[in-house]
Amino acid sequence: MNKPTKQEAIKGAFFGAIVGDALCLGSHYEYDAKKIYEAYGQKPIEKFMSPGEMMGGETNGIGWGQRNYHPGKSAGGTTDYGDYNIVVLEHLCAISDEVREFKVASIIPHWMDRLENSWGSWICTMTKETYSQVKQGVPVERLGGISNAMAIRHVAAHAYYDDENTLVDVARKSMFTHRDVHALGGGEFFARVTHRVINGEKPSDAIEMVAVQMGGFFADKVAQAITKYKEEGDENSALHKEQFNDDLAITSMARLWDIGRSEPIKVGKASPTEGTLPGAVYFILKYADKEDGLIKALQANTMVGGDNASRSIAIGMVLGAYMGVNAIPQEFKDTLTQWDYCEGMLNKLPLLKGN
């Protein structure tokens, strides 16, 4: 693999995340990996799909029933995870004349306008709660709710800031709808890893070093992912021989979440950081050094289902940074609805100007 330039790595991080997210639009919140596999012709997803496409127009959303989670979107569009990253890109582009501190108060008006006029995706509970708080005049420092869902939104900031601690600050502030320490820490974890990969470290080395640095819950979750990655990679293991080995690997890394509705959710595939972080690390490690590893990782993640869009941002940004924007096949560049729109804004940010 040819090592990408720093600019190619930065673009790769952003578009790896957005392409990965768009691949998940069709199966987002479908928890049955076998159903996805059958619907997609018993092979990995090969193109962007509209919400619920090939699955009757709806996905399962275990615990919440079947529904179309992104009614305003079509093939090539993004879920709410991708939307949030584009909102942050739009904000950074608007202040790109000089490098400024990222302030939640300054992005709130733009965020409110997008929610009210041009969203089209699922609006999560924390977004609704924070929107209501803003309307009620709650101070910025008290915004957000207690959700342990990992919602990474800062990917464009890697084209704006070149300091790791500053990027961590942006990662946390851009998740202003969340106050849970694990959710915010998940954003910090992948901000640190991505920054180091952009600057030349291998994903595996960056992941292990950041895990040591952050310690506790994050070190434990990375260790869990590494163990599962090695188990799946052992040709003699039972897991390796399973047809749906990625699905089994991901679901095994977190508890069942009995939320008192139709059936328990397998947290390893759902939104909480306890599942999304090790799940994303598992895919990153498995595909980092494989040919076409970026796209294969994003395809494999999509096929597992659950909250695959949350994992896709982390997987895409790290492997995109490692392999560069040129690792994204042309057909995905041509069919991602907002590729040109986003590229135009990215090219105006400080670290990409003139490239």
Side-chain angles (χ1 to χ4, degrees):
M1 183 184 78
N2 293 327
K3 188 174 182 179
T5 65
K6 185 168 182 175
Q7 289 72 30
E8 289 169 344
I10 291 169
K11 279 192 174 183
F14 181 82
F15 281 114
I18 299 301
V19 167
D21 175 76
L23 279 171
C24 294
L25 182 66
S27 60
H28 197 201
Y29 296 131
E30 174 55 61
Y31 280 79
D32 188 342
K34 294 179 181 178
K35 178 181 175 182
I36 297 171
Y37 178 72
E38 292 297 330
Y40 291 177
Q42 300 184 352
K43 58 186 178 182
I45 186 170
E46 296 175 326
K47 63 178 183 178
F48 298 126
M49 295 193 188
S50 60
E53 185 175 343
M54 309 299 293
M55 288 185 284
E58 298 178 327
T59 52
N60 194 301
I62 287 178
W64 288 273
Q66 286 190 298
R67 61 178 296 169
N68 180 341
Y69 283 90
H70 306 285
K73 294 301 181 79
S74 56
T78 45
T79 79
D80 48 314
Y81 291 99
D83 289 346
Y84 261 109
N85 278 284
I86 294 172
V87 166
V88 171
L89 170 60
E90 290 167 340
H91 174 66
L92 292 173
C93 186
I95 60 171
S96 65
D97 54 330
E98 58 182 82
V99 178
R100 305 181 189 177
E101 179 185 356
F102 187 94
K103 296 181 179 180
V104 175
S106 66
I107 197 175
I108 289 290
H110 176 57
W111 169 73
M112 297 279 282
D113 179 68
R114 288 283 260 109
L115 278 176
E116 292 168 353
N117 297 301
S118 58
W119 199 246
S121 296
W122 166 250
I123 300 177
C124 70
T125 303
M126 292 302 98
T127 295
K128 292 176 182 177
E129 182 173 335
T130 306
Y131 179 87
S132 177
Q133 290 171 342
V134 172
K135 287 288 192 181
Q136 295 166 19
V138 173
V140 169
E141 61 273 13
R142 288 172 46 202
L143 292 176
I146 303 302
S147 168
N148 56 7
M150 193 174 76
I152 298 171
R153 300 164 178 170
H154 73 277
V155 189
H158 290 278
Y160 195 90
Y161 304 98
D162 200 16
D163 173 76
E164 185 172 312
N165 288 330
T166 302
L167 285 160
V168 166
D169 181 62
V170 178
R172 288 176 167 272
K173 286 179 177 176
S174 62
M175 290 174 62
F176 58 88
T177 58
H178 290 60
R179 297 171 63 186
D180 179 81
V181 294
H182 291 163
L184 294 172
E188 173 177 343
F189 178 86
F190 285 107
R192 292 188 184 279
V193 170
T194 302
H195 176 71
R196 296 182 190 195
V197 173
I198 286 172
N199 286 282
E201 288 191 26
K202 291 186 62 176
S204 57
D205 293 339
I207 285 167
E208 292 190 37
M209 291 302 294
V210 173
V212 170
Q213 179 179 346
M214 293 185 68
F217 169 87
F218 302 97
D220 291 344
K221 284 292 158 183
V222 169
Q224 186 181 31
I226 292 172
T227 298
K228 192 60 61 173
Y229 154 68
K230 290 180 178 178
E231 179 188 350
E232 192 281 330
D234 179 359
E235 295 182 358
N236 295 315
S237 72
L239 178 61
H240 180 84
K241 297 172 184 176
E242 289 283 350
Q243 180 181 5
F244 295 94
N245 48 12
D246 288 337
D247 180 59
L248 291 170
I250 299 302
T251 55
S252 72
M253 287 195 284
R255 62 197 163 89
L256 287 179
W257 185 18
D258 189 352
I259 57 172
R261 291 180 174 87
S262 61
E263 57 186 297
I265 286 178
K266 297 174 180 177
V267 173
K269 293 171 67 168
S271 307
T273 307
E274 68 180 271
T276 51
L277 190 150
V281 169
Y282 166 86
F283 281 114
I284 291 166
L285 295 176
K286 179 173 178 177
Y287 290 95
D289 294 313
K290 293 187 177 180
E291 185 177 356
D292 300 323
L294 171 60
I295 292 302
K296 286 179 178 177
L298 296 176
Q299 289 173 315
N301 170 65
T302 300
M303 299 302 291
V304 166
D307 195 357
N308 46 11
S310 176
R311 298 188 304 267
S312 74
I313 300 295
I315 298 165
M317 65 192 290
V318 174
L319 290 182
Y322 185 48
M323 300 176 189
V325 67
N326 294 328
I328 300 173
Q330 189 63 43
E331 57 264 34
F332 290 118
K333 297 179 181 180
D334 292 340
T335 54
L336 183 73
T337 303
Q338 298 191 82
W339 183 285
D340 292 341
Y341 174 68
C342 291
E343 186 173 43
M345 288 187 289
L346 271 177
N347 288 339
K348 295 177 182 178
L349 299 188
L351 300 183
L352 292 178
K353 271 185 177 179
N355 292 282

